[in-house]
Structures are given as C-alpha cells and as structure tokens.
Amino acid sequence: MAKLTHVFRDDALRERALSHRSIGARNNERLEFFGDALLNLLVAELLYEHFPRADEGELTRLRSRLVSEPALAAVARELELGDQLLLGPGELKSGGFRRDSILADAFEALIAAIYLDGGWEACRNCVRDLFGGRIAAAANADDKDAKTRLQELLQAHGLALPNYELVAASGADHARIFEVDCQIAALDLCAQGRGSSRRAAEQVAAAAAIPQVQMRLDHSGSDHAEPLI
C-alpha cells in the first residue's frame, strides 16, 4: 500500500485538494489544474533518467500511461483518498468516491497542494516515492497487446470477457480485409476493427474498445458489472 510521505503544515490546503466541486466554490479544480502540470513534468523527469536510450515517442507513450486517469486513480486508491474525499450529497449517493475521474483529479490536486505547502523538493520527492516503482511496470506494459489489456481491464472490474465476431471479409486473396466487432455485453458496447487478418482486426477492435470501456466505467460510478442501458 502506497503512503504519502509529506506531512502538511497547512491542513486547509490538504482539505481543499480533497474537496470535489459538488461541495461548492471552495473545491479542488484550480489545484487539479496545477497538479496536472506538475505531475507531467516530474514523471517526465523520472522517465528521462530511467530510459536514457528511449526516443521522444517512447517517453511520451510511457508518460501518458503513467499519468492516465486510470493510473492516477489507482494511486489514489492505494493512498485511500476515496475515504478522505469531501463530496456533495449527490456524489456521495452515486458512489463518487469510487469514480476514476474524481479520484484522479483529487490526486493531481493533492500533488499541487504538496508543492504549495512544502515547496519543489517536497513535491518532487513525493512523486518519486509514488512513481519510482511504477516506471518499470509501465515499460513492461508495452509488451501487452490490446486484447490482453482489454481483458485485464474487464477482469479488474468483474466483467465478462469480450466476444469477437467476424462481420465481413472482402478483397482479393492477396489483399483481404477483415472486419471484426468486439462486443462487451455487460456494458452494452461494441467496437469495430479492420485488418489484413482476423487476428489483426481483433487487436484493432480491442484497442478501440479500451477507452470506451474506461469511459463507461467512469460514468457508471461503480466497480460492479452492471449493464448500462
């Protein structure tokens, strides 16, 4: 379980960072904006140090993975921020403390609050403590194809695996084009993919499905497998 190493001198800053907009004007949106920029910079620094041979494209992909909404929400859950969030009645009732978007925003706001409370080195050290061990994992994730990543995402939320259906095959024998549907019944979702083989089309369909699944799970406000109609 990750732990926050910074001890706040100004607890009001910490409280502001954990205050969702549903509670009113004194919320964490400005801090979230600032924290997003700080995280991008500090994670970029870590990647630059750890992968001296990586080109710009590789570093950009790794940073995107590390600071994505699901990744930051995962850090927030390890820090148990969901139990500390200040939410309005509506968000409390709908399970906002479980929602990836709210958790990720609160974590970014908390990073900004640490910077304002303790300065650059305190913020930098905190990010290094939390993300140092995630660098290698992010690099290893490049080895996973889209179908594997989609499967792991669905399994992590207790959802059934997708069904891939070949819907069309066209073109000459030497230039066949396959079209595949990736169907996720639990979320009433279908993504399409095209490729020069059925396997390639399935990978494209899975890659297209991943952001749609993440969006549906985010809007559902729940980690349970309930169809969204």
Side-chain angles (χ1 to χ4, degrees), residues 76-205:
R77 288 189 178 95
E78 290 188 21
L79 294 171
E80 299 181 338
L81 293 189
D83 296 334
Q84 305 169 51
L85 290 173
L86 301 176
L87 302 169
E91 287 295 344
L92 278 172
K93 186 176 180 180
S94 67
F97 55 89
R98 293 191 300 261
R99 195 168 300 149
D100 277 7
S101 59
I102 291 178
L103 288 167
D105 288 351
F107 176 71
E108 289 176 334
L110 192 64
I111 293 299
I114 290 170
Y115 172 83
L116 294 173
D117 187 70
W120 172 255
E121 284 304 317
C123 183
R124 184 170 181 261
N125 289 339
C126 180
V127 171
R128 284 175 170 263
D129 288 340
L130 292 173
F131 284 85
R134 299 173 190 270
I135 297 295
N140 291 337
D142 279 334
D143 297 332
K144 296 179 181 179
D145 60 33
K147 289 181 68 175
T148 300
R149 288 187 281 119
L150 176 59
Q151 176 178 318
E152 291 179 349
L153 175 61
L154 293 171
Q155 289 177 325
H157 290 82
L159 299 174
L161 297 183
N163 178 56
Y164 295 93
E165 180 180 345
L166 179 64
V167 295
S170 60
D173 289 343
H174 66 282
R176 299 283 278 171
I177 296 296
F178 295 83
E179 298 181 24
V180 167
D181 281 351
C182 173
Q183 301 171 345
I184 303 169
L187 297 176
D188 191 24
L189 185 155
C190 181
Q192 292 75 42
R194 303 179 71 202
S196 57
S197 68
R198 178 169 180 168
R199 178 176 297 180
E202 288 177 352
Q203 292 289 351
V204 174

Side-chain angles (χ1 to χ4, degrees), residues 24-86:
R26 291 190 58 79
N27 59 61
N28 63 6
E29 288 186 333
R30 283 173 52 84
L31 287 172
E32 180 266 325
F33 164 79
F34 190 14
D36 174 69
L38 288 167
L39 271 173
N40 272 278
L41 173 60
L42 291 166
V43 169
E45 181 188 38
L46 270 172
L47 291 169
Y48 186 83
E49 293 174 359
H50 277 76
F51 301 105
R53 297 182 181 179
D55 62 25
E56 179 187 7
E58 292 171 315
L59 293 171
T60 299
R61 285 192 295 274
L62 288 169
R63 181 179 62 180
S64 295
R65 183 170 295 124
L66 285 162
V67 300
S68 69
E69 184 176 285
L72 296 185
V75 180
R77 288 189 178 95
E78 290 188 21
L79 294 171
E80 299 181 338
L81 293 189
D83 296 334
Q84 305 169 51
L85 290 173
L86 301 176

